[in-house]
Amino acid sequence: MSAGSRYPVARPRAYAFDAAYETVPNWDIGRPQRAFVYLEEAGLIRGRVLDVGCGTGELSLFLARHGHEVLGIDIAPRAIEQAREKARWRRIPAQFLVWDALDLAGLARGGLSFRTVVDSAMFHLLGDAERDRFVDELASVLDPGGAYLVLGDVRTDPRATYGLSPEELERRFRPEAGWGVAFVRRTVFERRYSRNPAYVACVVRHPTSRP
């Protein structure tokens, strides 16, 4: 963050998200998305966890309550303030940080790495170039053999960037770059007043990979 600023310099979008948390945004349902509950029950969330785009922290808090060491990051300072408040009142030892998910290498430079990275509807909002950058940044903090678990709305318009598609995940997470898409499943993304068709996917960093 820049001196004297609440917002990550590279992400002016933080202003919009911070404003959304002045009330309760539609995507903040007061609990983790069911897709991640099922992933936890299946034993697919392991070790130290990074929650990118954590919002007010419901997924991070759920995972910490189930024994994981969790760091949640978000570009919206107001969301992180609320997440920390929830953690304090619920006495759950999750950690939260105002941080740009497009600078995960900065976490790596601080000595942090993670066995699992969870993404509850952040990637599906990124632009095309941002997605390329995020994949590169992800490699810097995800342990070899670790998993990136992502949930996002199904892309309904093939001309649009918003949303997810299995084809895009295969294209961006290429085996020759050290990735493997373990699975992509249809599910739903729940909002306070609706639910959308979604994909949940598991992408694995090959054990021989190096950032």
Side-chain angles (χ1 to χ4, degrees), residues 52-186:
V52 294
C54 67
T56 64
E58 290 296 342
L59 177 55
S60 294
L61 295 167
F62 168 77
L63 295 176
R65 196 168 60 242
H66 283 76
H68 297 282
E69 182 181 349
V70 183
L71 173 64
I73 63 171
D74 203 284
I75 60 172
R78 187 169 284 108
I80 293 298
E81 290 170 5
Q82 293 177 25
R84 289 172 175 165
E85 187 74 6
K86 288 180 181 180
R88 183 164 54 252
W89 281 102
R90 299 180 195 179
R91 298 183 180 181
I92 298 174
Q95 300 295 311
F96 296 97
L97 183 64
V98 179
W99 198 268
D100 190 341
L102 297 186
D103 183 27
L104 298 183
L107 298 179
R109 289 191 295 272
L112 296 178
S113 66
F114 302 88
R115 176 71 175 175
T116 306
V117 175
V118 295
D119 177 345
S120 184
M122 185 206 72
F123 186 86
H124 79 170
L125 295 171
L126 298 178
D128 187 65
E130 290 176 317
R131 295 182 188 213
D132 285 339
R133 179 176 171 183
F134 175 75
V135 173
D136 290 340
E137 295 284 326
L138 182 62
S140 68
V141 294
L142 185 60
D143 295 335
Y148 169 55
L149 302 169
V150 56
L151 171 71
D153 287 337
V154 168
R155 178 176 295 139
T156 56
D157 182 352
R159 299 166 298 178
T161 303
Y162 177 84
L164 295 182
S165 73
E167 296 78 15
E168 179 191 13
L169 292 172
E170 293 282 357
R171 174 171 57 83
R172 292 190 188 273
F173 294 96
R174 303 182 312 278
E176 59 268 28
W179 300 102
V181 178
F183 65 77
V184 183
R185 299 283 186 270
R186 290 292 293 256

Side-chain angles (χ1 to χ4, degrees), residues 184-201:
V184 183
R185 299 283 186 270
R186 290 292 293 256
T187 183
V188 296
F189 182 77
E190 303 168 273
R191 291 172 169 82
R192 293 176 67 84
Y193 310 112
S194 63
R195 45 195 285 154
N196 286 28
Y199 287 115
V200 61

